[in-house]
Amino acid sequence: LGGAMSSVEQQGEPPPVSNSSSTCEVVEADSVNKYEAVAPHWFYSKVIDSRERWIPFSRQDSEKLEEAHNSRREEEQRVVPAEGGRYDVHLQKRLRHAVYWEEEVSEVRRCTWFYKGDKDNKYIPYPESFSEELEETYMIAVTLDEWKRKLESPTREVIILHNPKLMVHYQPVATSDDWGPSPAEQGRPRTVKRGVENISVDIPCGEPLQIDHLVFVVHGIGPACDIRFRSIIQCVNDFRAVSLSMLQAHFKKAQEQQQIGRVEFLPVNWHSPLHSTGVDVDLERITLPSINRLRHFINDTILDVFFYNSATYCQTIVDTVASEMNRLYLLFLQRNPDFKGGVSIAGHSLGSLILFDLLTNQKDSSEDEDGKREGSQMGAYERGDTGGVKEILKKLELSEYYSVFEKERVDSQALAVCTEEELKDMGIPLGPRMKILHYVSSKAGSQDAQRQAPLPAGNEAKREDAPKAALGSAPQPGSGSSARGGAKRQNLDVGLGQVSANYPQLVYKPSIFFAFGSPIGMFLTVRGVKRIDPDYSLPTCKGFFNIFHPYDPVAYRIEPMIAPDLEFEPMLLPHHKGRKRMHLELREGLTRMGMDLKNNLLGSLKIAWQSFTRAPLPAVEAAASADAENEAEASLEKQTDATPEEPAAGGKEETPPVNVGMLNGGHRIDYVLQEKPIESFNEYLFALQGHLCYWESEDTVLLILKEIYHTQGITLDQPLQ
């Protein structure tokens, strides 16, 4: 029996042995097949708050960089555009260069392994060479299933791979005592991760390749543009990011049908060129040493307003803005040869005033206006070209001097402001000079008489049959109307009280001009402009939107200068989520309830109070009761009169249209943002923030996108209320 049992045991032993060997083979096979190469992702370094941060490229850009990296072309010539074409990545040098503006070159890495930083818990990529060593060690450990492998980096940092889920990084301490550091004093271990999918980082998908419209953004005073003291480049980056999110939220149908791509925003910087002229050194000599920081802040910011009112620096500013926008436009076309979209411009604070002055001095060379420019283009008697000068000289029998004016590029607008000395310097003899000056002066005087004589003094705006042209801009002290271009220049004379400058011409015609927190209305008023001609429009730009926060201390309205006789509120910008802010709805509801209480109960309350406090004399009692009844009837009449008008006052779409002229093609110009609930508690506390809030305002961005795509016949998915 024992032998039988032993034989049975011997017969039963082989199967388990064979099973264990086959299991080992399967485990080994699985171990070999377990390794998969890590997927790299490309990052670039950027200094934020004096600290170096590594920011991932979008998935779209990373795939393009990886494809170029894996190609076998000459590395010296491999330059990959990234981030919507605003940057170029030089693969061989691993450097990222800005295309449209000056910016420090940043390092680029092809990242596969990361370790957690000390303070902010952000993951930092290892250098590419050391990442390859880590990946090779990881592959061996996975293949052989042998872990607890140790590597030492070139900086004497130790990385230990305990298992696929636990990998740590030990950094040697910088200081040690006399006894030397012990193994326990090698620093707190840091977490090591393999692959970008294992770290917490937000990787954008990328921007649409198609660009539908180009917008140039001009900043205001100072080098900082928001409450966090960021540059115009950083603020426009936020503006662009908000626009992409608004496109996905409100133009989803058009994007799915591939009707639209995106809008590109490019910053225009004029502060740095202005302060590189040496003016800061001159200011330093005369600046008092007390309250040093405040004085330097004023020199760097607020004085920009005075620079713009200086003859020397005003020319520098307008030349810088115009040349920079022209340079950016031509460079953009060079890099995007298939671009067929339009161009718009946007300005913040003083930047909007610079753009407004620049646009008002552009020359419209189109011939298909049917003479409309003659009545609306300011500063010109005939047409804004040399053809008008030719007609004037022909009328004065001075055609032989036309070549002189043509050589000097003097058009009718320039001729209107020419002085005798300037004509003499051009070589015009005394007799012809007197003829030209007399013609300019007489025509200006006749137009002044024609526009102003029929109107009683001080009552120009009240006359019903007054012409639609703007009347009554104040004369410039020390100069006659002939020197400033006559009555037509008074319609909207931005040169009135303004430093004379030779405004450059843009190489394109902007579609729309957007002004954020703009002081244009205030500057026009202090220059002496009392009214803007309703028929006036910018020579080369048909759209104009004045957008402001209700608590912005720098912003002023434009529409009251066009329609001074009317009192009306600016257009309320709808919330980007399609609703009105709750505190505004509550405020309007309380206002309506107060009106109802006043209209319904005021009469009866007055009757009750007067009956309670009425005089004892019968005559006085009768008079009081009669007055009370009259007031009650009057209140009821007011109630019935106000009732049908109440819905119109509550909803702006039901109000009758207001004629605000042609400055925005007949459409409304002033648009006010809805303040946030916390801002409504204290207007003064949020005044500065109200002036700097536009860069991250979804409502502002949505209005811009809505108006831009409206020119292409594309509307929002759902209209906002």
Side-chain angles (χ1 to χ4, degrees):
L1 181 60
M5 289 293 297
S6 61
S7 63
V8 170
E9 290 175 358
Q10 291 177 358
Q11 291 177 0
E13 287 178 0
V17 172
S18 61
N19 289 339
S20 61
S21 62
S22 62
T23 302
C24 291
E25 292 177 357
V26 173
V27 171
E28 291 179 359
D30 291 341
S31 300
V32 173
N33 296 330
K34 191 184 300 182
Y35 172 76
E36 293 182 0
V38 62
H41 195 92
W42 291 76
F43 283 67
Y44 65 91
S45 66
K46 190 173 183 179
V47 177
I48 301 177
D49 298 333
S50 301
R51 300 187 62 182
E52 185 183 44
R53 302 286 179 87
W54 285 91
I55 302 175
F57 284 97
S58 66
R59 299 189 185 277
Q60 179 181 353
D61 289 338
S62 183
E63 291 175 0
K64 289 194 301 182
L65 292 170
E66 184 67 18
E67 181 181 357
H69 171 75
N70 295 330
S71 64
R72 299 303 178 185
R73 291 180 295 176
E74 297 181 5
E75 292 186 355
E76 293 81 1
Q77 301 179 357
R78 283 191 292 176
V79 178
V80 180
E83 300 183 58
R86 297 180 295 276
Y87 290 89
D88 280 341
V89 177
H90 298 256
L91 281 182
Q92 182 190 20
K93 300 178 181 179
R94 292 294 197 267
L95 295 176
R96 168 179 168 269
H97 296 262
V99 174
Y100 296 105
W101 54 80
E102 294 183 2
E103 185 178 314
E104 291 187 6
V105 178
S106 54
E107 181 186 354
V108 174
R109 282 185 188 176
R110 181 176 179 264
C111 304
T112 53
W113 285 77
F114 306 84
Y115 67 93
K116 185 177 289 188
D118 285 331
K119 298 179 180 180
D120 53 5
N121 290 329
K122 301 287 185 181
Y123 280 94
I124 303 172
Y126 286 104
E128 292 186 35
S129 58
F130 188 66
S131 294
E132 293 177 358
E133 296 181 20
L134 283 171
E135 183 65 19
E136 183 178 356
T137 304
Y138 178 85
M139 179 185 66
I140 295 174
V142 171
T143 303
L144 301 179
D145 198 20
E146 296 179 0
W147 293 93
K148 294 187 178 181
R149 292 182 172 269
K150 181 185 297 185
L151 282 85
E152 185 173 347
S153 70
T155 56
R156 296 183 59 190
E157 298 173 348
V158 178
I159 293 90
I160 301 177
L161 308 182
H162 292 285
N163 56 61
K165 301 294 184 181
L166 179 60
M167 295 174 284
V168 292
H169 174 127
Y170 293 95
Q171 187 176 15
V173 293
T175 59
S176 61
D177 54 17
D178 297 337
W179 298 94
S182 62
E185 297 175 346
Q186 293 296 323
R188 190 175 64 180
R190 305 179 183 177
T191 304
V192 177
K193 294 293 183 180
R194 174 179 177 267
V196 71
E197 65 275 1
N198 293 320
I199 65 175
S200 56
V201 61
D202 184 18
I203 302 178
C205 296
E207 303 176 11
L209 298 178
Q210 177 184 339
I211 299 177
D212 305 316
H213 205 87
L214 177 63
V215 180
F216 295 117
V217 184
V218 180
H219 65 84
I221 62 173
C225 296
D226 69 347
I227 200 89
R228 288 176 283 176
F229 297 97
R230 297 185 303 168
S231 66
I232 179 64
I233 298 173
Q234 295 171 306
C235 291
V236 173
N237 286 342
D238 273 356
F239 207 77
R240 188 186 305 109
V242 174
S243 72
L244 292 175
S245 64
M246 290 295 100
L247 283 174
Q248 295 175 359
H250 296 277
F251 293 88
K252 190 173 183 180
K253 294 180 181 178
Q255 281 190 334
E256 292 176 350
Q257 298 174 2
Q258 297 183 349
Q259 293 180 339
I260 63 172
R262 64 182 177 91
V263 176
E264 180 62 279
F265 296 88
L266 295 180
V268 178
N269 183 11
W270 57 266
H271 181 270
S272 299
L274 171 66
H275 287 262
S276 63
T277 58
V279 65
D280 289 348
V281 178
D282 299 334
L283 287 173
E284 185 67 26
R285 298 192 190 101
I286 61 176
T287 301
L288 298 179
S290 59
I291 51 174
N292 188 43
R293 292 185 178 180
L294 178 59
R295 295 187 189 277
H296 280 81
F297 173 78
I298 292 175
N299 289 350
D300 207 28
T301 55
I302 299 177
L303 286 189
D304 286 346
V305 179
F306 298 95
F307 285 139
Y308 188 63
N309 288 319
S310 165
T312 302
Y313 297 108
C314 176
Q315 189 67 57
T316 301
I317 292 174
V318 296
D319 286 344
T320 301
V321 171
S323 61
E324 184 69 4
M325 288 199 297
N326 287 339
R327 181 189 70 85
L328 292 174
Y329 178 70
L330 297 176
L331 179 59
F332 179 83
L333 292 183
Q334 179 183 351
R335 295 178 61 88
N336 301 272
D338 298 330
F339 176 72
K340 303 297 182 182
V343 184
S344 294
I345 57 178
H348 176 241
S349 189
L350 182 62
S352 64
L353 177 66
I354 298 171
L355 291 177
F356 184 80
D357 289 344
L358 191 64
L359 289 177
T360 55
N361 288 275
Q362 296 297 297
K363 297 177 182 178
D364 187 8
S365 59
S366 62
E367 298 291 338
D368 55 351
E369 294 290 336
D370 297 330
K372 180 180 179 181
R373 305 307 309 173
E374 180 179 1
S376 60
Q377 183 174 359
M378 57 187 181
Y381 289 105
E382 306 293 341
R383 292 182 58 85
D385 54 12
T386 55
V389 176
K390 188 174 183 179
E391 294 296 327
I392 294 174
L393 295 177
K394 183 178 179 181
K395 185 183 298 185
L396 298 176
E397 299 180 352
L398 299 174
S399 299
E400 63 270 21
Y401 298 105
Y402 173 67
S403 59
V404 178
F405 290 93
E406 186 179 22
K407 180 181 179 181
E408 296 292 338
R409 292 187 175 181
V410 176
D411 57 8
S412 55
Q413 182 177 358
L415 181 64
V417 295
C418 277
T419 63
E420 182 179 0
E421 291 297 327
E422 292 169 342
L423 293 175
K424 185 177 180 180
D425 293 340
M426 292 168 57
I428 307 298
L430 178 60
R433 288 205 306 268
M434 293 299 100
K435 283 187 177 182
I436 294 173
L437 292 175
H438 177 71
Y439 173 82
V440 171
S441 177
S442 62
K443 186 156 187 176
S446 64
Q447 289 178 348
D448 277 339
Q450 181 180 0
R451 290 175 179 269
Q452 297 180 359
L455 300 177
N459 199 29
E460 295 88 350
K462 296 181 180 179
R463 181 171 173 178
E464 295 180 356
D465 58 347
K468 292 183 179 180
L471 303 175
S473 58
Q476 181 185 8
S479 65
S481 60
S482 61
R484 299 306 305 174
K488 281 196 177 180
R489 197 168 184 86
Q490 287 184 348
N491 290 348
L492 175 58
D493 189 356
V494 294
L496 199 62
Q498 175 192 3
V499 176
S500 177
N502 182 18
Y503 287 91
Q505 301 297 303
L506 300 176
V507 296
Y508 54 86
K509 293 183 179 181
S511 301
I512 308 175
F513 168 38
F514 300 98
F516 311 141
S518 173
I520 293 175
M522 182 268 291
F523 270 85
L524 291 180
T525 301
V526 300
R527 288 171 181 175
V529 179
K530 294 184 177 180
R531 186 181 179 188
I532 300 175
D533 187 346
D535 292 332
Y536 174 73
S537 62
L538 298 173
T540 59
C541 183
K542 305 306 178 186
F544 177 33
F545 290 85
N546 183 36
I547 307 168
F548 53 89
H549 191 279
Y551 303 154
D552 189 342
V554 182
Y556 290 81
R557 293 190 62 185
I558 298 293
E559 292 174 340
M561 299 187 68
I562 303 174
D565 299 335
L566 302 177
E567 292 185 3
F568 54 97
E569 297 294 327
M571 292 290 290
L572 184 67
L573 268 177
H575 194 270
H576 64 280
K577 292 185 178 179
R579 57 172 174 80
K580 188 174 292 185
R581 293 187 184 274
M582 185 178 299
H583 70 287
L584 296 180
E585 293 181 349
L586 179 61
R587 182 189 305 170
E588 292 181 359
L590 292 175
T591 302
R592 287 195 298 267
M593 185 178 67
M595 292 296 298
D596 292 340
L597 290 174
K598 179 180 178 181
N599 293 330
N600 293 329
L601 303 180
L602 183 60
S604 58
L605 288 176
K606 281 189 176 182
I607 293 174
W609 176 255
Q610 289 178 358
S611 63
F612 179 76
T613 60
R614 63 188 177 184
L617 296 177
V620 176
E621 180 180 353
S625 61
D627 292 339
E629 291 176 358
N630 292 334
E631 290 180 3
E633 291 177 359
S635 65
L636 290 176
E637 290 177 358
K638 291 181 179 179
Q639 174 187 351
T640 55
D641 293 338
T643 301
E645 294 178 359
E646 183 181 348
K652 291 191 175 293
E653 58 274 5
E654 298 180 7
T655 57
V658 181
N659 181 14
V660 291
M662 299 305 297
L663 194 57
N664 189 26
H667 302 289
R668 293 295 298 271
I669 301 172
D670 293 336
Y671 285 81
V672 60
L673 293 167
Q674 300 181 33
E675 72 273 17
K676 298 178 181 179
I678 191 174
E679 295 173 344
S680 62
F681 288 112
N682 193 320
E683 300 178 0
Y684 297 94
L685 185 63
F686 293 94
L688 178 60
Q689 183 175 339
H691 183 59
L692 304 174
C693 70
Y694 306 99
W695 307 112
E696 298 178 352
S697 171
E698 295 92 344
D699 300 345
T700 302
V701 173
L702 188 57
L703 174 66
I704 292 176
L705 295 177
K706 174 177 173 291
E707 296 301 328
I708 285 177
Y709 282 110
H710 180 71
T711 61
Q712 303 179 15
I714 298 174
T715 58
L716 299 170
D717 293 341
Q718 293 181 354
L720 300 179
Q721 297 179 355

